[in-house]
Amino acid sequence: MTSESRLLRVGFFIAALAAAGPAAAAENALSWYLLGLRGPGAAVAPPVEGVFLQNDLYRYMGAVRREVSLPYGTSIGAGIGANATANMLTALWMTPARVLDGRLGLSLTQPYGGPTLTASATVVPPFGARMPLTVGARDSASFFGDPVVSGFLAWQSGNWNVQAGTSVNVPIGQYDAAGFANMSFHRWAVDPFLAVTWLDPATGIDVSATVGYTFNGTNTATSYRTGNEFHLEASVSKALTKELSVGVLGYYYEQTTGDSGAGATFGAFRGRVAALGGTVGYGFSVNGIPIQTRIKLFREFEARNRLENGTAAFLTVSMPVWVPNPPKP
């Protein structure tokens, strides 16, 4: 792509975003924390020391459209559409260490994938003198995103499980400063979190909740500082058999401080969204290795300064890869 065509593409997206109104709080309307990532068993740590793998395949679709009426029958309409596919591979090490009587866990997550963004604008001339003019543009990318390192402490007492920890986004992933479709955020982000799970083995009922708060740094490539963000996830599920469970779940997100910096040309907008959905989990073994799978599906509502009518889905697979002293059956 030539530098001229790249500038035209970026300019078109900026014009379409401006016409669409304040629909994109947080840089490119993307929060760093992946909403819906946690669900049933959010605070339940592996019961033994070892190394575990988890793969999350994520899919999101959303859009927003605005129309502005001008004098003499003129109007400008603009729409932004986005869909994203990402794969996140996480390696978790449950260490033998204990801190404050809690078990120490360390993890590294590497995402890969990216969004596809489309923009369209329609101009209706005065008095209908000519046919409406519609133009569009598209931007897509697939990159290795910023890796995420996490550490947490896990406690368990009876049916209660608690995790307290912090996740950090390390801005070293591939990043296209001239494009809008990026997997990386190109900024430091720190997210302290607290998760609680009440799990009754006798009835198979699991009630889980996770709360976190993201402190965002500045994207030095764009001089854009996304405001800080609050997120809450909750779920209730029940095991129908030893292998199968079903449940309901949801999340709530609110940006508590406005965007800032020279790159925040649309102002200090704050985003908000909520979602409800369902989940199905299924466990099985392959050559004696226990494998857990889960599907989660969300539908967003009450969106403010974000993409609207969003649908998000997760397919999660997790398993142990090394356990020094596996429990006896």
Side-chain angles (χ1 to χ4, degrees), residues 74-271:
T74 303
S75 66
I76 300 175
I80 304 292
N83 63 76
T85 301
N87 194 79
M88 292 151 291
L89 181 63
T90 299
L92 166 65
W93 177 31
M94 287 304 302
T95 76
R98 284 185 173 267
V99 180
L100 301 176
D101 203 33
R103 301 171 59 220
L104 175 63
L106 303 172
S107 70
L108 172 66
T109 300
Q110 178 59 63
Y112 177 81
T116 297
L117 302 179
T118 58
S120 63
T122 301
V123 179
V124 177
F127 308 114
R130 301 189 202 91
M131 294 291 291
L133 172 64
T134 300
V135 293
R138 181 178 182 272
D139 192 17
S140 63
S142 289
F143 294 137
F144 283 101
D146 298 329
V148 178
V149 294
S150 301
F152 64 87
L153 295 175
W155 297 268
Q156 192 270 332
S157 178
N159 293 344
W160 289 97
N161 299 265
V162 177
Q163 281 188 24
T166 300
S167 297
V168 178
N169 186 71
V170 183
I172 59 174
Q174 295 172 275
Y175 185 75
D176 179 8
F180 284 83
N182 272 297
M183 188 68 182
S184 298
F185 291 84
H186 204 63
R187 66 176 184 261
W188 289 95
V190 179
D191 188 87
F193 64 86
L194 176 67
V196 178
T197 295
W198 184 83
L199 175 61
D200 184 355
T203 62
I205 295 177
D206 177 310
V207 181
S208 294
T210 302
V211 62
Y213 192 81
T214 306
F215 297 90
N216 287 297
T218 299
N219 182 338
T220 55
T222 60
S223 299
Y224 197 115
R225 185 181 183 113
T226 295
N228 297 331
E229 302 159 301
F230 168 84
H231 55 89
L232 170 67
E233 295 154 301
S235 65
V236 178
S237 65
K238 178 174 173 54
L240 302 181
T241 67
K242 184 179 179 181
E243 297 83 13
L244 179 66
S245 68
V246 297
V248 295
L249 70 182
Y251 57 74
Y252 177 77
Y253 160 93
E254 182 154 5
Q255 188 176 333
T256 60
T257 63
D259 300 338
S260 60
T265 55
F266 298 132
F269 298 118
R270 302 184 186 186

Side-chain angles (χ1 to χ4, degrees), residues 271-298:
R272 182 182 67 196
V273 73
L276 290 173
T279 180
V280 177
Y282 187 75
F284 58 95
S285 295
V286 176
N287 295 327
I289 299 175
I291 299 174
Q292 297 293 323
T293 63
R294 180 167 296 279
I295 295 174
K296 293 177 288 186
L297 181 64
F298 298 89

